[in-house]
Amino acid sequence: MEKDWKRLGNFVRAARSARGLNQDELAELAGVSRATLQVIERGVGFTRIPASVFRLENTFDWGPGVVQDILAGGDPPTGERSSSASQPPMRERAFADGMPLRIAQELTEGEVVDTAVLDLSREGSGSSLVMILKRDDAENIDPEQLRRDLEVWKRAKRALHGITTESDDQ
């Protein structure tokens, strides 16, 4: 059966517009290039369905298999999937994509209180340690508890900074 790439392109464009996103914003959310998104929206055909199309399917919260249905002449769901109530919002999911599930869930729940980035690089390495202090109940926090949490946070940052600045021969 022939795949209807123009039909998919029209649905992608309509879903993007309905969410008030421009092509750059959707491309960033989905983790695809703007050029790829433009090709998909124009309805240019592919010999096989590229991974970028499935990233868009996930970003729109269409559910697995919807892209194949659209290409075969079907319609995407008119609302979000029933399981989407437990899913973080689209922008947060895009940020957490590719991370282990536990980390992705932690990053998309609660409120960030502070962050730190420590350079781990030795010559030839571009690694860094990213630390995030977050609270699940930031709205109802006791100021004294927040002060204690921030003290622990400061000690942890100092300790980790000390480790990252130690020489390799210790």
Side-chain angles (χ1 to χ4, degrees), residues 20-94:
L21 299 170
N22 64 37
Q23 287 182 331
D24 289 324
E25 291 167 332
L26 176 57
E28 183 179 340
L29 285 172
V32 302
S33 72
R34 181 174 183 238
T36 297
L37 179 58
Q38 289 173 329
V39 166
I40 292 167
E41 285 191 358
R42 280 196 316 265
V44 175
F46 296 90
T47 55
R48 63 180 179 77
I49 303 173
S52 54
V53 172
F54 295 113
R55 288 189 196 109
L56 290 168
E57 176 182 69
N58 183 47
T59 301
F60 290 136
D61 208 18
W62 283 346
V66 172
V67 162
Q68 289 95 327
D69 292 345
I70 294 170
L71 287 169
D75 292 331
T78 55
E80 293 186 355
R81 289 185 290 171
S82 59
S83 65
S84 67
S86 63
Q87 295 286 324
M90 190 167 46
R91 288 185 188 276
E92 292 176 359
R93 277 200 326 273

Side-chain angles (χ1 to χ4, degrees), residues 73-161:
D75 292 331
T78 55
E80 293 186 355
R81 289 185 290 171
S82 59
S83 65
S84 67
S86 63
Q87 295 286 324
M90 190 167 46
R91 288 185 188 276
E92 292 176 359
R93 277 200 326 273
F95 171 73
D97 279 353
M99 294 187 190
L101 183 59
R102 180 174 171 268
I103 300 301
Q105 186 170 0
E106 285 293 326
L107 288 172
T108 57
E109 294 175 354
E111 187 173 321
V112 173
V113 177
D114 194 14
T115 61
V117 178
L118 301 176
D119 184 11
L120 300 180
S121 63
R122 303 286 191 245
E123 289 197 30
S125 172
S127 300
S128 59
L129 172 67
V130 177
M131 302 184 325
I132 302 170
L133 173 63
K134 62 174 263 323
R135 293 204 43 101
D136 292 332
D137 60 347
E139 294 176 8
N140 302 319
I141 189 166
D142 171 45
E144 184 57 28
Q145 181 61 50
L146 178 59
R147 187 193 63 72
R148 288 190 302 265
D149 291 351
L150 288 171
E151 284 300 318
V152 171
W153 171 251
K154 282 190 233 176
R155 287 195 308 271
K157 285 195 308 186
R158 279 193 302 266
L160 288 170
H161 182 70

Side-chain angles (χ1 to χ4, degrees), residues 122 162-170:
R122 303 286 191 245
I163 292 169
T164 63
T165 57
E166 290 176 356
S167 72
D168 287 331
D169 50 61
Q170 288 186 352

